[in-house]
Amino acid sequence: MSPTFDQMQEARTALDAPLFSGLAGDIDVSFEFFPPKTEKMAQTLWDSVQTLSPLGPRFVSVTYGAGGSTRERTHEQVVRINREAGIPAAAHLTCVEATREQIDEVARHYWESGIRHVVALRGDPPDGQAHYVPHPGGYANAAELTAGLKAVAPFEISVAAYPEVHPDARDAAADLDNLKRKFDAGATRAITQFFFEPECFFRFRDKALAAGIDGEIVPGIMPVMSFASVQRMAGLCGTAIPGWMAGLFDGLDERPAARQLVSATIAAELCRRLYAGGVRQFHFYTLNRAELSYAICHMLGLRPQGDDR
């Protein structure tokens, strides 16, 4: 069988120059963390923040548990990062199990604490519930939440996007309509759910533009810490895992160092291909570990600010 044009182009790229050579480092990055449950986890999180902060991220975000289960820990970490690390920090807020008044109060508290950026999400159903049910006195969805936050204060607002369609969406068109409502309500940007093949993002970006969405859409990148964990998360959010990935991680359960090398290679190549397609913004789901995200940024040409090496 003769090679396709794309295969020949890829072969030329591989032969002409190393995959990551000549990159200008002209990318913007952001990082996501989750609130720690223990003092040891808190130290790991802070070490990760300090490792990544020299890369000059646009912002870092801290997630928020269903029903406000991590509200205090999220607030504590967001405010600390904002004040002590000197990085713009974003707090996640969801609609789950809270009235509008309760959410508005949390938002005002963030604003008064100097937080100017919120990641506005509908949220997942609480444990024990198969489907999301809006609180009778709450915001029904992320579009309503975005509009409500804008009424509280002029927040910068990031929202979620789903290249492979949200599991609760009727279809892809309905999902795009929902994303457009979020932008129309005042969202600054959308950050995608993680995915593993660049074509997935490019197709979604084209469909979003065709649907009248011209706001910034940032790819969410998930370096694989544990293949089994990623399989579980992918199953929950509808992300397809390419068949070739299982083979690359096979046999590495007891070899964490080798697993990290494989993970960094896969994620960096995904980012390199996105970069080749014009992407210059990346959001990394760090799982509170810095080294993989740092290595990927390094391969994309990003260096610590003020470091000319």
Side-chain angles (χ1 to χ4, degrees):
M1 179 184 294
S2 299
T4 65
F5 175 81
D6 285 345
Q7 289 171 331
M8 290 189 293
Q9 182 64 34
E10 178 61 25
R12 281 195 293 270
T13 299
L15 290 171
D16 288 346
L19 189 60
F20 297 97
S21 68
L23 296 184
D26 56 337
I27 60 172
D28 291 315
V29 297
S30 52
F31 303 105
E32 182 173 299
F33 303 99
F34 62 84
K37 295 180 180 179
T38 66
E39 286 300 319
K40 183 177 180 180
M41 292 173 68
Q43 187 59 51
T44 298
L45 167 58
W46 190 246
D47 289 345
S48 295
V49 169
Q50 291 184 309
T51 296
L52 295 169
S53 63
L55 298 179
R58 288 202 290 178
F59 64 90
V60 302
S61 67
V62 181
T63 61
Y64 183 84
S69 59
T70 66
R71 180 180 299 168
E72 294 304 320
R73 285 185 280 125
T74 297
H75 183 272
E76 176 185 345
Q77 296 302 323
V78 169
V79 171
R80 184 186 183 192
I81 291 169
N82 203 57
R83 289 179 178 172
E84 298 182 28
I87 306 170
H92 287 222
L93 271 179
T94 75
C95 306
V96 179
E97 294 192 325
T99 66
R100 290 176 180 237
E101 291 74 18
Q102 289 170 328
I103 293 173
D104 291 352
E105 181 181 357
V106 172
R108 280 191 291 270
H109 192 191
Y110 276 125
W111 187 265
E112 291 164 0
S113 300
I115 305 304
R116 300 292 182 260
H117 186 176
V118 173
V119 179
L121 307 167
R122 188 203 71 177
D124 297 323
D127 290 341
Q129 294 186 17
H131 302 286
Y132 173 79
V133 178
H135 189 287
Y139 293 109
N141 51 51
E144 285 192 8
L145 175 58
T146 297
L149 291 170
K150 284 291 190 180
V152 170
F155 285 107
E156 176 181 352
I157 296 180
S158 296
V159 296
Y162 295 84
E164 294 168 273
V165 184
H166 191 284
D168 292 346
R170 184 178 67 250
D171 53 34
D175 203 27
L176 282 172
D177 286 343
N178 185 54
L179 179 59
K180 189 173 189 306
R181 283 193 293 272
K182 290 188 272 191
F183 274 109
D184 291 343
T188 309
R189 73 180 57 79
I191 300 170
T192 76
Q193 182 60 268
F194 66 91
F195 57 92
F196 293 110
E197 296 191 298
E199 294 80 11
C200 177
F201 178 81
F202 293 135
R203 286 193 298 266
F204 178 73
R205 188 178 62 178
D206 291 345
K207 290 176 182 177
L209 188 60
I213 300 169
D214 58 2
E216 178 184 331
I217 300 178
V218 180
I221 307 299
M222 173 76 81
V224 178
M225 304 289 182
S226 160
F227 187 65
S229 295
V230 165
Q231 284 180 302
R232 287 193 295 271
M233 288 187 283
L236 293 172
C237 64
T239 295
I241 297 181
W244 51 262
M245 279 188 69
L248 288 176
F249 286 102
D250 185 37
L252 297 181
D253 289 346
E254 305 303 323
R255 295 183 177 275
R259 188 172 66 244
Q260 283 203 342
L261 289 171
V262 172
S263 178
T265 301
I266 292 171
E269 184 173 354
L270 169 62
C271 292
R272 179 65 179 92
R273 291 174 184 273
L274 292 170
Y275 183 94
V279 174
R280 294 297 182 270
Q281 290 82 32
F282 299 88
H283 183 78
F284 292 92
Y285 298 108
T286 70
L287 300 179
N288 291 14
R289 302 285 180 174
E291 292 304 321
L292 282 177
S293 296
Y294 191 101
I296 296 161
C297 291
H298 184 89
M299 284 191 279
L300 292 172
L302 192 60
R303 298 292 184 271
Q305 292 188 354
D307 188 343
D308 296 327
R309 288 175 292 175

